[in-house]
Amino acid sequence: MTSEGSVGVDADGGEPGTVRPGGRTARVREAVLRAAGDALVEHGFDGLDLADVARRAEVGKTTVYRRWSAPAGLVADLLSDMAEQSLPRADTGSLAGDLRANARLVVRTLTDPRQGPLFVAVIAAATCDPRAADALHRFYAVRIGEWSGCVAAAVDRGELPAGTDPGEVIAAVSAPLYYRLLASGAPLDEEAADRAAAAAVAAARDGVYVR
C-alpha cells in the first residue's frame, strides 16, 4: 500500500472518515468515496493510494489527506456509506421468506460486477489493517442489526423458540455464501441463497440459536 500521512484526527475533531458532512463537503465526500471504490476494485487495498484517489475524484490532494489521513480511513468511510445506502430488511410475513430475501440480497451484492470485487478488497484489507477490520465489523453489525428484526418478529409469531439470538440466525444465512465467495469457489446463485436460508431456518426452529 502506498500512502502519505498517518492515521490521526481530522479538523472536525473526529477520526478521519467518521464525520458526516453536508453541502459542498458532502459532494466532495461522495466523489472521493466513489473514486476510492473504483481504485479498490482495480488495485485492491495494497494499491489504494490517496493521491490517486484525489486525482480520480478531481479534488485536491490536501483535502483527501486532511480528511481521511490514510487508506484505512477511506475504507472505514466507504463501509459506513455502504451501510447507509443498503436496502432495508424484507417483511414477507414469514421467517423463511424474510431469510430467503436476505440471502438473495447477499448473493446479488457479492456477484455484482462492482460490489463483489469491492467486498473482496475490503475483506482483504481487514485481514491486515486493524482500522479496516473495525470498519468491516461495524458494517456487518449495522446490517445484522437491520435484519435481526425478521427473527424477532418470527419469535413473536411463535415460529421460533423464545430466546433465539437474532444476530446469530442472520449471520448463519450469509456465512455459507461468503465461504463460497472466499474459500470454495462454488457457484453463488439463487439456489445457493435459498439453501443457506433454509438451513438457517431449520437450525433456528430446532433451537440451535437459543441463548
Side-chain angles (χ1 to χ4, degrees):
M1 175 189 8
T2 57
S3 67
E4 297 178 24
S6 59
V7 175
V9 176
D10 71 8
D12 296 297
E15 284 194 2
T18 62
V19 177
R20 296 291 171 267
R24 182 172 58 186
T25 306
R27 291 192 294 274
V28 169
R29 176 178 179 251
E30 181 182 0
V32 170
L33 294 185
R34 183 170 58 249
D38 291 342
L40 276 170
V41 169
E42 292 178 23
H43 304 300
F45 184 66
D46 286 344
L48 185 60
D49 178 78
L50 297 190
D52 176 53
V53 170
R55 178 187 59 78
R56 291 169 181 260
E58 299 182 344
V59 302
K61 289 190 294 183
T62 301
T63 298
V64 175
Y65 284 118
R66 182 178 65 246
R67 181 167 189 80
W68 287 277
S69 220
L74 272 174
V75 171
D77 203 9
L78 182 62
L79 283 167
S80 295
D81 185 67
M82 290 166 65
E84 293 166 4
Q85 302 301 322
S86 294
L87 294 174
R89 70 176 178 89
D91 186 6
T92 67
S94 73
L95 180 68
D98 291 348
L99 295 191
R100 187 163 52 247
N102 175 263
R104 290 185 177 188
L105 176 60
V106 171
V107 166
R108 287 198 303 272
T109 299
L110 297 182
T111 57
D112 181 84
R114 175 180 170 83
Q115 293 292 317
L118 183 55
F119 269 102
V120 170
V122 168
I123 291 168
T127 66
C128 60
D129 187 285
R131 284 194 62 198
D134 287 344
L136 187 64
H137 298 161
R138 289 194 299 271
F139 172 84
Y140 281 109
V142 170
R143 295 311 297 152
I144 288 175
E146 170 70 22
W147 283 84
S148 290
C150 298
V151 182
V155 172
D156 291 341
R157 290 191 299 263
E159 285 191 72
L160 296 179
T164 297
D165 187 324
E168 289 295 324
V169 176
I170 300 302
V173 174
S174 59
L177 303 176
Y178 278 92
Y179 179 82
R180 285 171 175 258
L181 175 73
L182 299 170
S184 74
L188 267 175
D189 50 25
E190 282 197 352
E191 181 180 357
D194 293 351
R195 187 182 301 116
V201 170
R205 286 175 175 166
D206 282 345
V208 171
Y209 303 112
V210 173
R211 290 189 291 267

